Amino acid sequence: MIMKYVVKELYLYPIKSLAGIAVQSAKAEEMGFENDRRWMLIDEENQFITQRKHPNLSQFYPQIKEDKIEILHQDKKHEFFISESLDEHIFSKVWDDESKVVEVNKATSKWFSEALGFSCKLVKIINKGDRKHISTKLNQTLNVSLADGYPYLLIGSKSLDALNEKLEEKVTIKRFRPNIVISTETPHEEDFFTVFQIGSVKFQNAKPCGRCVMINNNPMTGIMMKEPLKTLSTYRTSNNNVLFGTNIFSLNEGIIAVGADVVF
């Protein structure tokens, strides 16, 4: 019997390092899914802010409501228009990549500053090419969003199953912040995918994804633990990287949906 690969789940993360949104369909673009990691928080030195240092960011829950993004945090709510931004360019970085961004508005930055307890700004990347990522593995320069490195993260279902068999306390796929989850037959076979198609969109594999301490943050509580990174490191370490899931990029634009076949 020939294995049929199917899209099981799709996720967007509008604001880098905040909670994700499960969706039934998404528009694939060169920089990643539409509205995926187009926004991020930066500190007073214009450095990007993530769960690595602020695990409570996982307790901010965005929703896309027509032309607005709404953020829920505890008993507080804030919203801003997807299209809005100030004019002044800010030069920040995501790791080693120069990133040209703009502040959304002063009120939104103030809301996040008060909720987090320190001064920060919510900024947005607007134009394709405002951040470029050089892939040494591919010897290629990619136009990317504000994601850590690549536009999309793909994870196979059996990779999570194999990990959970080794863990006392099971984890969900949300720990790993994938964009696309597909049904697979064997653990980590997604590492070896080359070019494949979902709906009308072709994707190319870039490289397996190196994981950091962020996967130890329980998305339900915002509390850092020692797992699953500790267990993963015992069997998924390569060149000092702990691997889980694979980074991919799209070769064209189009809509993909849960339930769609993955075609090789």
Side-chain angles (χ1 to χ4, degrees):
M1 179 179 172
I2 298 173
M3 172 68 184
K4 188 176 182 182
Y5 297 82
V6 174
V7 175
K8 293 183 68 177
E9 299 168 72
L10 295 171
Y11 292 93
L12 302 180
Y13 307 89
I15 302 175
K16 183 178 181 66
S17 240
L18 270 57
I21 305 170
V23 296
Q24 289 301 301
S25 64
K27 182 184 178 185
E29 299 176 338
E30 182 183 354
M31 291 168 64
F33 283 141
E34 182 181 28
N35 294 323
D36 181 58
R37 284 167 290 205
R38 299 301 201 270
W39 295 265
M40 70 178 178
L41 291 162
I42 59 172
D43 64 17
E44 290 183 302
E45 281 76 48
N46 294 340
Q47 300 297 307
F48 73 99
I49 296 166
T50 75
Q51 289 182 34
R52 295 169 184 88
K53 189 174 178 182
H54 302 282
N56 60 323
L57 288 175
S58 63
Q59 305 307 291
F60 288 75
Y61 297 94
Q63 290 294 329
I64 297 174
K65 301 284 184 74
E66 296 179 350
D67 58 349
K68 292 181 179 179
I69 290 183
E70 179 184 277
I71 313 290
L72 298 174
H73 174 62
Q74 297 173 351
D75 59 347
K76 303 180 184 74
K77 183 168 79 170
H78 182 78
E79 62 182 23
F80 58 89
F81 286 101
I82 287 172
S83 61
E84 72 179 297
S85 64
L86 303 180
D87 292 333
E88 184 184 352
H89 287 133
I90 298 170
F91 292 92
S92 182
K93 275 190 171 185
V94 177
W95 302 116
D96 294 329
D97 302 337
E98 295 281 354
S99 305
K100 187 167 74 171
V101 294
V102 287
E103 189 173 5
V104 170
N105 63 54
K106 298 297 183 185
T108 297
S109 295
K110 184 172 183 285
W111 186 84
F112 274 106
S113 297
E114 290 174 351
L116 288 165
F118 59 87
S119 180
C120 61
K121 293 176 182 176
L122 184 72
V123 297
K124 178 185 182 183
I125 187 169
I126 294 181
N127 300 311
K128 189 190 298 183
D130 282 350
R131 177 188 170 210
K132 294 182 180 294
H133 178 70
I134 298 171
S135 169
T136 51
K137 180 79 182 290
L138 299 169
N139 193 27
Q140 189 173 338
T141 299
L142 302 172
N143 293 317
V144 294
S145 66
L146 301 170
D148 269 1
Y150 290 87
Y152 302 89
L153 177 67
L154 174 79
I155 298 178
S157 59
K158 288 297 182 183
S159 303
L160 181 65
D161 292 347
L163 171 60
N164 273 328
E165 285 174 9
K166 297 174 171 62
L167 293 174
E168 284 185 28
E169 197 169 320
K170 312 304 180 196
V171 297
T172 71
I173 201 72
K174 289 183 179 180
R175 289 286 184 119
F176 305 96
R177 300 174 69 81
N179 292 109
I180 305 170
V181 182
I182 64 170
S183 57
T184 48
E185 195 168 37
T186 59
H188 311 295
E189 60 181 298
E190 61 270 23
D191 290 6
F192 306 101
F193 290 174
T194 51
V195 176
F196 58 94
Q197 188 163 331
I198 301 172
S200 63
V201 185
K202 284 188 176 180
F203 293 93
Q204 183 174 333
N205 196 5
K207 69 177 187 66
C209 183
R211 308 315 299 237
C212 68
V213 69
M214 204 163 133
I215 65 173
N216 287 344
N217 188 23
N218 184 338
M220 300 298 292
T221 64
I223 297 172
M224 283 280 188
M225 310 295 281
K226 291 184 178 179
E227 294 288 10
L229 192 60
K230 182 180 176 183
T231 294
L232 263 182
S233 66
T234 64
Y235 72 102
R236 287 289 296 164
T237 299
S238 174
N239 296 324
N240 295 318
N241 286 314
V242 179
L243 306 178
F244 194 87
T246 198
N247 296 298
I248 64 174
F249 59 99
S250 64
L251 301 175
N252 62 295
E253 295 191 350
I255 305 293
I256 72 170
V258 171
D261 291 343
V262 183
V263 181
F264 297 91

